Amino acid sequence: MQQRSAEAVIDAATLTLTETIAANSFVDEVERDRLYDSAIDGLIRDLGDPHSSFLPASDYEDLRIRTEGEYGGVGLEVVDRGGYVTVVSPIPGGPGGRMGIRAGDQFYEIDGIAADTMVTDQAVELLRGRPGSEVTVRMLRPGVEEPIEFTIEREVIVLKAVPFSVMLDEQVGYVPLLSFREPSATEIRAAIDSLRAEGMKSLVLDVRGNPGGLLDQGIAVSDLFLSEGQGIVETRGRDERQNETYAAAHPDQYPDMPMVVLVDQASASASEIIAGALQDHDRAILVGETT
């Protein structure tokens, strides 16, 4: 431990010395922060691992929202489309939808700032804020000549991993799982139990387009459908002491319920853990495209 700590101190001192020499001696002025970012980017790139990345502090809030599923905002899902930040869909029950903003509306102004040249991240930064505060937006709507103005009070927005569940017929239930956040396993179980109360005998679990998320939630969701002791996933490191095997810790909660798992090319990470574990143990049939 002492040797590794000493090496870390030496490495940090070397980096600081190199950065100081470059900053003080290079013919042009250089930005110290940019030098550090370039060094980190180079280190990550040379690892040659697509799953290793550097998370700047400015991106931490987005990561927190993806994993915890809660933030202060107006409840609108937006994308860049046609040169404008465009509403894909209002989050059900959110303040934006209640005010009358629709899918397809385009941001023209946000709090007096022209939005026609913004990208999604810039617009989202302005739309998020302390619950109870207000933001005024002007929206372009197809078929309406002038921008429509909305003043929206921000609220705590809770993103659901399972936005809805539905019976496809008298016996088959459908549950989409959009991501793996902290409450994902709880939401899945609640949705399935609700459908079973309606008479569901078999389940279609949809993880198409699910990019993954928290490993422990991927394991917890898999655990719902596997028998105690059945393997779910292994993690392996360079040192054997870093290897770990995760298995189902509880009995199958729905042992008599046939399952189909829908997957596509955008199903990744924890989605693949679930799909792979259920397929390996003949617990579900996979339908769709290669993940």
Side-chain angles (χ1 to χ4, degrees), residues 43-169:
L43 184 151
I44 298 297
R45 184 173 57 253
D46 285 351
L47 290 176
D49 177 15
H51 304 294
S52 295
S53 60
F54 171 64
L55 181 70
S58 59
D59 292 341
Y60 173 74
E61 180 65 5
D62 287 335
L63 175 64
R64 187 194 66 78
I65 290 170
R66 289 198 302 272
T67 55
E68 296 180 10
E70 185 175 299
Y71 68 99
V74 297
L76 299 172
E77 295 186 17
V78 298
V79 295
D80 294 320
R81 182 177 295 167
Y84 287 89
V85 178
T86 304
V87 177
V88 175
S89 65
I91 293 174
R98 294 201 309 270
M99 289 297 296
I101 295 178
R102 307 173 184 173
D105 287 352
Q106 300 171 317
F107 284 90
Y108 183 70
E109 284 184 0
I110 303 175
D111 272 344
I113 302 173
D116 57 347
T117 59
M118 287 185 184
V119 295
T120 298
D121 289 346
Q122 294 171 311
V124 166
E125 187 173 352
L126 293 175
L127 294 171
R128 289 178 186 164
R130 178 177 51 82
S133 61
E134 292 185 341
V135 58
T136 299
V137 299
R138 300 180 70 201
M139 309 295 293
L140 299 175
R141 178 171 295 171
V144 179
E145 292 185 3
E146 296 296 324
I148 307 171
E149 184 171 304
F150 299 89
T151 298
I152 311 168
E153 181 176 328
R154 297 180 178 97
E155 298 177 4
V156 173
I157 306 298
V158 179
L159 301 176
K160 290 188 174 294
V162 181
F164 66 91
S165 58
V166 66
M167 294 292 292
L168 299 179
D169 60 24

Side-chain angles (χ1 to χ4, degrees), residues 4-260:
R4 299 182 79 176
S5 298
E7 289 174 352
V9 170
I10 292 171
D11 289 345
T14 301
L15 178 61
T16 302
L17 176 61
T18 302
E19 175 268 342
T20 300
I21 293 173
N24 293 337
S25 304
F26 190 66
V27 63
D28 296 319
E29 290 189 9
V30 296
E31 299 177 17
R32 291 175 181 262
D33 289 345
R34 187 169 62 81
L35 286 179
Y36 279 119
D37 289 344
S38 297
I40 294 171
D41 288 342
L43 184 151
I44 298 297
R45 184 173 57 253
D46 285 351
L47 290 176
D49 177 15
H51 304 294
S52 295
S53 60
F54 171 64
L55 181 70
S58 59
D59 292 341
Y60 173 74
E61 180 65 5
D62 287 335
L63 175 64
R64 187 194 66 78
I65 290 170
R66 289 198 302 272
T67 55
E68 296 180 10
E70 185 175 299
Y71 68 99
V74 297
L76 299 172
E77 295 186 17
V78 298
V79 295
D80 294 320
R81 182 177 295 167
Y84 287 89
V85 178
T86 304
V87 177
V88 175
S89 65
I91 293 174
R98 294 201 309 270
M99 289 297 296
I101 295 178
R102 307 173 184 173
D105 287 352
Q106 300 171 317
F107 284 90
Y108 183 70
E109 284 184 0
I110 303 175
D111 272 344
I113 302 173
D116 57 347
T117 59
M118 287 185 184
V119 295
T120 298
D121 289 346
Q122 294 171 311
V124 166
E125 187 173 352
L126 293 175
L127 294 171
R128 289 178 186 164
R130 178 177 51 82
S133 61
E134 292 185 341
V135 58
T136 299
V137 299
R138 300 180 70 201
M139 309 295 293
L140 299 175
R141 178 171 295 171
V144 179
E145 292 185 3
E146 296 296 324
I148 307 171
E149 184 171 304
F150 299 89
T151 298
I152 311 168
E153 181 176 328
R154 297 180 178 97
E155 298 177 4
V156 173
I157 306 298
V158 179
L159 301 176
K160 290 188 174 294
V162 181
F164 66 91
S165 58
V166 66
M167 294 292 292
L168 299 179
D169 60 24
E170 293 182 355
Q171 293 190 334
V172 180
Y174 171 82
V175 177
L177 179 59
L178 301 185
S179 63
F180 290 88
R181 303 185 176 100
E182 288 181 357
S184 293
T186 301
E187 290 184 35
I188 278 281
R189 184 162 190 172
I192 293 174
D193 289 346
S194 176
L195 292 179
R196 278 165 61 89
E198 297 181 37
M200 179 180 71
K201 302 298 183 183
S202 56
L203 171 67
V204 177
L205 178 63
D206 190 351
V207 294
R208 291 175 299 175
N210 185 327
L214 297 175
L215 173 64
D216 63 342
Q217 287 300 302
I219 294 169
V221 172
S222 301
D223 199 342
L224 294 175
F225 307 106
L226 296 176
S227 300
E228 184 176 357
Q230 288 185 315
I232 297 174
V233 67
E234 297 180 14
T235 59
R236 298 180 181 179
R238 182 171 59 184
D239 189 325
E240 289 186 359
R241 291 172 295 181
Q242 298 172 319
N243 298 347
E244 192 159 358
T245 300
Y246 298 90
H250 308 93
D252 188 340
Q253 302 301 300
Y254 310 100
D256 300 321
M257 185 176 66
M259 287 182 63
V260 167

